[in-house]
Amino acid sequence: MLDTTGLQGWAEPETTQAGADAVKSAGAAFRSAVADQAAAWSALSGCYSAPEREDVLAVFTNITPHAELVGSASEEAAAALGNFAEHVAALKPLRQQLLERAGSFGPAACTPEDPDGSMQELSRLVLQSEIDGLARRYQEAEETCAAALNSVTGHDPGWLGAVAGPNIGLVAAAADNVMGVHTFQRVTVVNVREVPMPVLERRFTPLLGSYDLLTGPEQQGHRWLRQNGQWISVHSPLHPDAGITRRQWFTQEVYRTVREWRPEVNRTLYNQSGWYRTRVDASPGRWHVPDPQTPRWAETPNSLKAVKIGGGALTLAMAGITFADNRAENHNQLLRENPDMSAADREFRANEMAAVQTGTSVVIDVGAGAAGAAIGTMVGGPVGTIVGFGIGMGISWLTDAGSDGNSFKDKASDIAVDAYDKTKDLISDGFEAAGDAWDRLWGK
């Protein structure tokens, strides 16, 4: 017998899509209605005057953001239902085919060629496997839809969501790795420059007499040129060679950008660990010893400047994206959990929490990179650098992996926010206690 239980009771895609459209329309209608009422209410500002005027006009200050939240949440729910309906619609033709094949599948028959019906049994097993596989695909679609509906918050990160989470730590770690392998190297180069032609190398013709009128250098040789009927000294700005330059070759010590794949020697470890010191001394070529003469920023090659500035800017941008994502999520969470909070207080609290959370994430990413670099310098050689990259990026990704709110970074951020709040309360209580003591001693 064939078990087709998993193909029964499927949702109808058309009905599911209609429900998604209804949810989305209802959210949009609610958001539009609140916006219209808020606009009409704000018209009172031009004609209403009373002591409680500000409170009356601020009635919709908190209601409007809640309407936006409901509208966004309805769009999220509609998208989850729509994706589920689309997935089921794609599976329905396969379901129909399998049901028809199962319906026409008869019991195993005994024939002279197959007295035990083994071929028929094999066909049954294959068909049952196809049925079970399709049932699992439908179940996975159900679970995906349910997870999406359970995670509906009204928070739409837009493009932030594409890089937030594990990806953002990887981008920051990759930028740090790129910067890490680029360094400078001092080299001596032969360069050329244009210099003024020395006076004594200018063209001249002999001049007889007037020796007493010659300058000291002119008395050492003939330094005059006859031009247009007059004698012109080689020192005169009228001389045709005045201002002429010539090429001069010279040696110069400059810095150039190089990619150094060997990790640097860890000086602290080298001084304190005999094992590490012995390992480095045995194969010094596996480690990079940086030049003690560090170039000034103006002397740094432009290509190295670009790498450092670009990598730093990218790291800062990732931190900014993390802050923006945290702030938006906190803002919507406060809307749901503290509907009575004023807009100004909600904005301040969302920024406050985001700053602590972003700082925690950055510290964890920096720590991951440091851990990878430490392991890489233990290995030495280009392999050590690559191993360090992989370990650092792996740690960064793992600390960000997990379901929403359940990753290591999320938990660490929650602990950091809680510690921040407790510290702030302690400081506030300390100031209040100091103020009370002052009042008791000196009076108000």
Side-chain angles (χ1 to χ4, degrees):
M1 297 293 292
L2 291 167
D3 182 8
T4 59
T5 306
L7 302 183
Q8 308 300 325
W10 281 25
E12 290 297 331
E14 298 79 8
T15 304
T16 304
Q17 186 59 56
D21 295 340
V23 169
K24 185 175 182 179
S25 298
F30 178 73
R31 178 161 48 190
S32 177
V34 172
D36 292 343
Q37 293 299 320
W41 192 264
S42 64
L44 289 174
S45 60
C47 58
Y48 179 75
S49 178
E52 66 278 5
R53 180 176 184 273
E54 294 301 324
D55 294 333
V56 171
L57 295 178
V59 166
F60 279 90
T61 301
N62 277 351
I63 299 177
T64 303
H66 279 278
E68 291 292 334
L69 186 67
V70 171
S72 297
S74 67
E75 291 177 358
E76 287 185 57
L81 292 171
N83 290 336
F84 176 65
E86 184 178 346
H87 200 158
V88 175
L91 297 179
K92 279 194 70 177
L94 297 176
R95 171 178 175 268
Q96 185 62 33
Q97 292 175 11
L98 289 177
L99 287 174
E100 290 176 358
R101 288 171 58 190
S104 61
F105 196 87
C110 296
T111 64
E113 295 79 11
D114 186 18
D116 297 326
S118 58
M119 295 301 295
Q120 188 80 348
E121 177 62 16
L122 179 60
S123 299
R124 187 190 70 80
L125 291 175
V126 171
L127 181 56
Q128 184 64 60
S129 177
E130 293 182 42
I131 292 172
D132 294 342
L134 186 62
R136 279 194 300 272
R137 291 173 63 182
Y138 177 81
Q139 184 178 4
E140 290 171 358
E142 276 189 326
E143 292 172 352
T144 300
C145 179
L149 291 173
N150 287 331
S151 64
V152 168
T153 61
H155 166 45
D156 181 15
W159 65 274
L160 294 178
V163 294
N167 298 325
I168 202 164
L170 294 181
V171 172
D176 186 62
N177 290 340
V178 170
M179 288 190 295
V181 298
H182 286 81
T183 185
F184 63 90
Q185 183 183 63
R186 277 191 298 169
V187 293
T188 300
V189 298
V190 177
N191 215 332
V192 64
R193 61 189 171 191
E194 295 288 334
V195 298
M197 176 184 288
V199 170
L200 297 184
E201 291 186 12
R202 294 176 180 175
R203 289 173 294 164
F204 65 92
T205 57
L207 174 66
L208 301 176
S210 304
Y211 185 83
D212 295 335
L213 299 178
L214 298 180
T215 63
E218 291 169 341
Q219 293 177 11
Q220 304 301 318
H222 303 294
R223 302 289 180 262
W224 291 83
L225 174 70
R226 186 173 181 81
Q227 186 175 13
N228 297 327
Q230 63 176 340
W231 294 101
I232 301 173
S233 169
V234 292
H235 299 283
S236 171
L238 299 177
H239 194 284
D241 289 343
I244 290 180
T245 62
R246 70 174 187 179
R247 286 187 173 185
Q248 182 184 71
W249 282 264
F250 64 98
T251 59
Q252 184 182 21
E253 194 172 71
V254 298
Y255 297 93
R256 68 175 181 178
T257 303
V258 294
R259 282 191 294 270
E260 178 55 72
W261 287 97
R262 296 172 300 170
E264 287 188 11
V265 174
N266 187 313
R267 285 298 171 187
T268 302
L269 200 59
Y270 184 86
N271 294 331
Q272 296 182 359
S273 171
W275 174 86
Y276 183 71
R277 184 165 53 252
T278 301
R279 178 175 174 79
V280 172
D281 292 342
S283 304
R286 292 175 60 83
W287 284 266
H288 166 60
V289 179
D291 194 320
Q293 184 176 334
T294 303
R296 300 190 304 272
W297 179 254
E299 299 174 322
T300 304
N302 290 333
S303 54
L304 186 57
K305 289 178 183 175
V307 170
K308 299 297 183 183
I309 294 174
L314 184 59
T315 301
L316 289 176
M318 292 300 99
I321 291 173
T322 300
F323 176 86
D325 187 61
N326 287 333
R327 183 207 162 279
E329 188 171 348
N330 294 333
H331 183 272
N332 287 285
Q333 182 180 350
L334 292 170
L335 271 175
R336 295 191 304 271
E337 297 177 357
N338 300 281
D340 297 331
M341 181 180 286
S342 68
D345 289 344
R346 182 169 54 249
E347 187 77 11
F348 177 82
R349 180 57 178 167
N351 288 329
E352 186 179 40
M353 294 172 65
V356 176
Q357 292 164 341
T358 302
T360 303
S361 296
V362 170
V363 168
I364 291 174
D365 286 334
V366 170
I375 295 174
T377 194
M378 297 288 286
V379 177
V383 173
T385 299
I386 296 173
V387 168
F389 287 176
I391 291 176
M393 295 181 73
I395 293 174
S396 180
W397 187 87
L398 286 174
T399 58
D400 238 330
S403 57
D404 291 341
N406 198 39
S407 69
F408 177 83
K409 276 186 184 177
D410 291 329
K411 293 179 179 178
S413 296
D414 292 340
I415 293 173
V417 170
D418 185 58
Y420 167 80
D421 290 339
K422 289 180 179 178
T423 302
K424 186 173 65 173
D425 292 340
L426 287 174
I427 294 174
S428 178
D429 293 341
F431 277 119
E432 290 181 4
D436 293 340
W438 179 273
D439 290 340
R440 287 194 299 270
L441 287 172
W442 307 103
K444 294 184 178 181

